[in-house]
Amino acid sequence: MTNFKNLRGMVDLLPAHSQGWQKVESIALKHFSRAGLNEIRTPIIEQTELFSRGIGENTDVVGKEMYSFDDRGGRSCTLRPEGTASVARSIVQHGLLNNGPQRLWYRGPMFRYERPQAGRQRQFHQIGVEFVGLPSVMSDAEVISIAWDFLKDVGLVDLTLEINSLGSNEDRNVFKEELKNWLNQRFDLLDEDSRKRINVNPLRILDTKNKSTKELLFEAPSLKDFLSNKSKIRFDYLLDLLDKLKIPHKINNNLVRGLDYYSHTAFEITSEHLGSQATVCGGGRYDGLISELGGPRAPSIGWAIGMERLIILAGEKILQSKSPDVYVIHRGDKAEQLALEITCQLRSFNLKIELDYSGSSFSKQFKRADKSRARWALIIGEDEASKGQLLIKKLRHKPKDVESNEYTFLKEDLDQLIKKLID
RNA sequence: GCGGGCGUCGCCAAGUGGUUAAGGCAGCGGCUUGUGGCGCCGCUAUUCGGGGGUUCGAAUCCCCUCGCUCGCCCCA
């Protein structure tokens, strides 16, 4: 086999699916624009250190999933594994916060070197929102509601919003020490993975899928008992606001998420219809990231939605492409010129026109017209061409109306023809 | 990185050692030189992911390899 193939985990978006993506993206744009967000586009390659510093040296994403390489100048570069770090970098670099808080959205490909499986690819696409420089609890609620409303509008059902508070950095550090102690006392009861994590990233152990460790953890100290009063009040208020917005939510005290920069609010929107990769949207608050990258103190919150997973959930319906309004059938040299001319004219009226190129018999062309699911056929043969006439025929009509579904117009009376096509 | 399943035409798919590798969909052509949605007829894989081996003979057995897929870890 000498033919070329796409790299593992890299997926072509084929014509049969592209209109579905466009549909979803246009719904997203509608939601973003009415929420007053502006788009930001950043490069898909950054210097490696941006991600290792921003996302966290000990995270799985940085530790084993990055597409990194040295460029010809010997600089270590990385294909972005997520969007937030790049957006934060750009905001700091261009001093955008001097113009006040930033409400932004982005979309594009992300890269993670993992074994592909259902709902997971090496190149995948995220569409995301970042509210930067807004400490208010209201912004948490607003940001979540944008995601929720968007997903609902796309037609998704059976979604669950899981939410947790990680507290402030101080809360969490106290808790981490306490948890480490507790875990170390039960070291030989832990599974291998969790043992490795104790010192590196003890919080992630809370999220373990290992059964016996999970049972053990029922007795473990809980992060929520270490939240300061301030953090608790903040979280409770957020839950209140979500109630007011009628967004159902489930508190999940073990929801930690894999990126280091989160504090206070962490959330995921999941679906039971996705197989084992259940998260369609993940996000949270990152109050320290901007300053960590050299910017001002700018508490922020955002989320990212996985487009591929979203499309899976939206299902077949959204992938169906729009059928043409008119399928143009023609035969003969003179007819061909008129057909092209009329096709272009009709398109200027925003009608979707498909022009037959086969030059085969009328019978064949009609068959193709039918297959295209067009509402109308426009027929130009030798007769029409010489008389300057246009014949249209309504397709997909009940047989009893056969005699009444053809109409002839002079090519000068295009506006009458269009009127007929539209009604 | 670690487990399980699978690889026959663009898609679905029969075939499990014996001369020509079913069938369906899609495509192309015809029945029908100007009228579709139905029907009928014809055409479309020297070849079974690739390489090696066993055998008189392999898509069918063995070995290696590549790929896909599902799951674990983790995430969108």
Side-chain angles (χ1 to χ4, degrees):
Chain A
M1 180 77 89
T2 56
N3 291 334
F4 289 113
K5 291 196 61 192
N6 55 293
L7 259 21
R8 162 176 282 202
M10 308 286 172
V11 178
D12 296 316
L13 175 59
L14 297 175
H17 284 186
S18 55
Q19 287 196 32
W21 279 63
Q22 288 167 11
K23 224 179 287 175
V24 170
E25 285 168 350
S26 74
I27 294 171
L29 249 66
K30 182 184 81 186
H31 283 259
F32 298 159
S33 111
R34 70 190 195 193
L37 312 192
N38 291 309
E39 183 181 6
I40 184 167
R41 298 191 190 189
T42 64
I44 61 170
I45 308 179
E46 299 276 357
Q47 68 185 85
T48 299
E49 208 188 335
L50 171 65
F51 300 118
S52 48
R53 285 259 305 277
I55 299 170
E57 208 76 61
N58 295 319
T59 59
D60 283 4
V61 169
V62 170
K64 55 177 204 188
E65 293 170 5
M66 291 211 297
Y67 266 95
S68 301
F69 61 95
D70 286 349
D71 71 7
R72 286 168 186 273
R75 287 167 288 256
S76 178
C77 305
T78 295
L79 265 44
R80 64 182 183 196
E82 56 106 50
T84 303
S86 306
V87 169
R89 189 226 84 225
S90 182
I91 286 171
V92 172
Q93 180 179 339
H94 301 287
L96 297 186
L97 289 166
N98 292 326
N99 304 319
Q102 298 291 306
R103 298 169 174 84
L104 304 172
W105 70 273
Y106 65 86
R107 69 176 146 187
M110 306 294 164
F111 302 83
R112 257 120 100 158
Y113 193 90
E114 298 179 88
R115 279 289 275 280
Q117 65 188 71
R120 169 188 291 166
Q121 300 164 188
R122 289 183 172 181
Q123 177 178 338
F124 60 104
H125 296 80
Q126 289 187 332
I127 192 159
V129 162
E130 312 287 358
F131 273 34
V132 180
L134 292 167
S136 157
V137 191
M138 273 173 62
S139 66
D140 296 45
E142 187 184 357
V143 160
I144 291 171
S145 84
I146 292 171
W148 188 258
D149 291 347
F150 164 51
L151 293 173
K152 285 288 174 184
D153 203 11
V154 172
L156 306 197
V157 294
D158 300 329
L159 296 176
T160 306
L161 170 64
E162 296 188 43
I163 192 162
N164 191 24
S165 174
L166 307 176
S168 65
N169 287 336
E170 299 76 59
D171 300 345
R172 216 162 46 255
N173 286 338
V174 176
F175 172 66
K176 259 189 212 168
E177 284 312 309
E178 202 64 31
L179 182 65
K180 266 194 225 171
N181 287 340
W182 190 90
L183 289 168
N184 275 322
Q185 282 161 27
R186 291 156 183 81
F187 191 83
D188 20 288
L189 297 172
L190 297 174
D191 62 283
E192 206 190 314
D193 261 6
S194 298
R195 287 179 190 179
K196 278 191 218 150
R197 280 194 181 128
I198 287 190
N199 289 311
V200 191
N201 200 345
L203 287 187
R204 290 226 50 86
I205 299 177
L206 297 176
D207 229 2
T208 184
K209 305 288 188 300
N210 182 287
K211 262 193 214 127
S212 64
T213 305
K214 218 170 179 172
E215 278 172 36
L216 185 69
L217 285 171
F218 285 136
E219 309 293 319
S222 172
L223 175 55
K224 72 172 197 291
D225 300 324
F226 286 78
L227 296 188
S228 65
N229 244 346
K230 232 172 125 186
S231 297
K232 254 185 243 166
I233 289 168
R234 190 181 195 288
F235 189 45
D236 286 343
Y237 186 36
L238 173 58
L239 300 179
D240 261 9
L241 292 175
L242 291 175
D243 284 336
K244 294 246 160 38
L245 295 173
K246 301 201 166 51
I247 300 175
H249 50 271
K250 209 170 85 188
I251 296 171
N252 176 353
N253 286 127
N254 293 327
L255 178 66
V256 175
R257 301 193 49 75
L259 314 181
D260 277 358
Y261 51 61
Y262 288 118
S263 53
H264 290 294
T265 310
F267 65 93
E268 285 182 6
I269 299 175
T270 58
S271 165
E272 61 206 66
H273 304 300
L274 266 178
S276 75
Q277 311 304 323
T279 306
V280 64
C281 173
R285 178 158 278 284
Y286 48 98
D287 289 350
L289 180 61
I290 298 283
S291 52
E292 172 71 19
L293 297 179
R297 207 188 102 71
S300 308
I301 182 163
W303 51 253
I305 284 175
M307 279 294 288
E308 283 81 3
R309 291 183 187 175
L310 171 52
I311 295 282
I312 291 170
L313 290 174
E316 288 302 311
K317 219 178 70 196
I318 205 145
L319 295 175
Q320 270 158 23
S321 56
K322 185 181 182 294
S323 47
D325 297 306
V326 181
Y327 189 95
V328 179
I329 290 169
H330 59 91
R331 204 157 159 72
D333 293 344
K334 272 177 79 179
E336 150 180 315
Q337 290 171 28
L338 185 54
L340 182 62
E341 193 186 325
I342 298 298
T343 295
C344 294
Q345 282 178 19
L346 289 176
R347 282 179 183 153
S348 71
F349 288 88
N350 283 329
L351 291 165
K352 181 171 175 176
I353 317 293
E354 194 167 324
L355 180 56
D356 193 286
Y357 266 87
S358 67
S360 46
S361 69
F362 276 94
S363 169
K364 284 291 172 213
Q365 294 196 56
F366 266 101
K367 276 185 181 156
R368 270 190 283 269
D370 193 70
K371 193 154 287 169
S372 79
R373 292 162 29 237
R375 286 166 44 239
W376 290 90
L378 189 147
I379 303 103
I380 305 175
E382 303 285 1
D383 289 357
E384 287 78 14
S386 60
K387 290 185 197 155
Q389 286 182 340
L390 305 169
L391 174 65
I392 58 172
K393 177 172 181 174
K394 193 159 180 90
L395 299 175
R396 1 205 74 226
H397 226 230
K398 295 285 175 281
K400 57 181 170 184
D401 304 318
V402 218
E403 295 312 316
S404 63
N405 63 349
E406 289 193 9
Y407 310 87
T408 307
F409 298 88
L410 288 173
K411 70 174 182 186
E412 287 76 23
D413 298 335
L414 206 61
D415 50 333
Q416 287 178 35
L417 183 148
I418 287 162
K419 207 187 272 175
K420 189 79 200 168
L421 291 178
I422 290 171
D423 75 22

